[in-house]
Amino acid sequence: MTQLITGIPRSGTTLCCKLLNQRDEVIALHEPINPAAIAKGADANVAFDYIRKQIVVFQHAIENGLPFEHGDKGGLEIENPVGQQTQDGIRQVVARRGQVVLPKRAHGSYQLVVKQNALFTALLGPLSAEFAVTAVVRNPVDVLLSWLTVDLPVNRGRIPAGERFAPKLAAELAAEPSRIRRQWRIYQWFMQQFHQHGVKVLRYEDILVSDGAALDQALGLPSISRQPLTPQHRQFAPEVLDELGSIKAELLAADYYGLYSAEDIAQRLKQYGL
């Protein structure tokens, strides 16, 4: 049965795909569904049906060695869709959507995992009723600092694929003039969706400390030996830290549904001098 991965953008979901693709029996696809391909004006039911049909398309292509659309035309090895090159202090996206072709795989010889963040999160109700879904989260301090410094819609405090099927969220973001508060609302929306629909939630921090074993366990796979995973330490401009610091009180007071404590948040803030 196909499994789905969703998660908060910049929480390590693409890394999860890379770790899963280190297994012979798993094929994990990074953002293979283009939300723009879903008919304009389609409701959540139409979008859900489109996703189901696309999963069948992916399986057929994999089993027959045919091309199919993928979030990075370079193949399955992508670890991070955002590179190190910056423009005006903003890290640029390196992933390029396109078609890939994989060696033929016999039906039943592999476990298909499909990763999609905002689209799957907006449609968690019907998706979680039919598929096993695992959601990946990360400490909001690290997520928001990343959002403030990457060339993605969340940098501007918008999440188009989510807003399209979450009109309340779209209205709230449209009414909020502050970028960091739009970003904070987006983070909360993801967490609330995961909690409301009762999906399995996996912390990025646990994936790192276990060298990927926590991911294997979450998907019901036996652990394998991997190279140690080490967190990257990034430096942020004072104005970026100041923008995050403006919502420090909200970060410390929020409900993270038992996934992060106020102390967890305070420790990360302190590491950045906040």
Side-chain angles (χ1 to χ4, degrees):
M1 177 181 177
T2 298
Q3 295 200 54
L4 307 183
I5 289 180
T6 189
I8 299 172
R10 310 301 298 153
S11 65
T13 53
T14 307
L15 172 63
C16 287
C17 289
K18 180 179 179 180
L19 294 173
L20 290 169
N21 282 321
Q22 293 172 353
R23 311 182 64 101
D24 293 335
E25 79 279 23
V26 175
I27 295 175
L29 305 182
H30 159 71
E31 305 276 349
I33 298 169
N34 185 356
I38 300 173
K40 195 170 182 179
D43 62 15
N45 291 328
V46 172
F48 169 60
D49 190 53
Y50 179 83
I51 291 169
R52 292 174 63 192
K53 290 177 179 176
Q54 284 302 111
I55 288 172
V56 174
V57 168
F58 301 144
Q59 291 170 326
H60 177 76
I62 290 168
E63 292 166 17
N64 291 276
L66 301 174
F68 63 92
E69 189 169 3
H70 190 249
D72 183 49
K73 63 183 180 181
L76 304 184
E77 295 304 311
I78 182 171
E79 178 176 341
N80 194 331
V82 178
Q84 299 303 318
Q85 184 175 353
T86 63
Q87 182 176 332
D88 298 326
I90 302 297
R91 293 169 59 201
Q92 300 299 296
V93 174
V94 294
R96 295 290 180 263
R97 177 169 294 280
Q99 292 199 323
V100 298
V101 179
L102 303 180
K104 287 184 183 182
R105 293 291 297 268
H107 181 76
S109 69
Y110 65 97
Q111 166 77 65
L112 179 62
V113 177
V114 180
K115 188 273 286 192
Q116 204 90 19
N117 290 353
L119 180 63
F120 283 179
T121 298
L123 300 171
L124 264 186
L127 287 174
S128 62
E130 181 158 335
F131 299 95
V133 182
T134 299
V136 183
V137 301
R138 189 178 184 183
N139 190 302
V141 174
D142 298 296
V143 169
L144 293 171
L145 284 173
S146 180
W147 288 1
L148 288 166
T149 54
V150 296
D151 187 22
L152 293 170
V154 285
N155 177 263
R156 300 176 288 280
R158 304 308 294 254
I159 190 86
E163 293 179 56
R164 182 173 175 185
F165 299 103
K168 180 182 177 184
L169 173 67
E172 290 173 347
L173 297 180
E176 174 55 66
S178 165
R179 172 174 74 157
I180 189 64
R181 284 189 159 75
R182 289 196 301 273
Q183 292 175 334
W184 175 227
R185 180 66 194 99
I186 291 169
Y187 182 95
Q188 291 177 301
W189 173 75
F190 275 97
M191 295 289 277
Q192 289 162 357
Q193 284 286 101
F194 303 153
H195 178 73
Q196 176 184 340
H197 295 288
V199 299
K200 187 179 299 181
V201 178
L202 180 60
R203 302 192 328 162
Y204 169 79
E205 295 82 3
D206 295 330
I207 296 171
L208 282 189
V209 75
S210 69
D211 296 329
L215 173 64
D216 295 329
Q217 183 178 11
L219 271 66
L221 301 167
S223 294
I224 62 172
S225 177
R226 295 186 177 93
Q227 294 293 322
L229 298 175
T230 55
Q232 293 185 338
H233 300 284
R234 302 193 186 282
Q235 299 293 321
F236 296 95
E239 58 269 23
V240 171
L241 295 173
D242 288 344
E243 190 168 0
L244 178 67
S246 69
I247 61 164
K248 178 178 177 178
E250 290 97 318
L251 292 171
L252 290 170
D255 181 2
Y256 300 98
Y257 309 106
L259 294 165
Y260 297 100
S261 66
E263 182 180 358
D264 292 329
I265 310 305
Q267 286 179 347
R268 293 304 289 158
L269 287 168
K270 185 176 180 181
Q271 289 186 0
Y272 291 108
L274 297 172

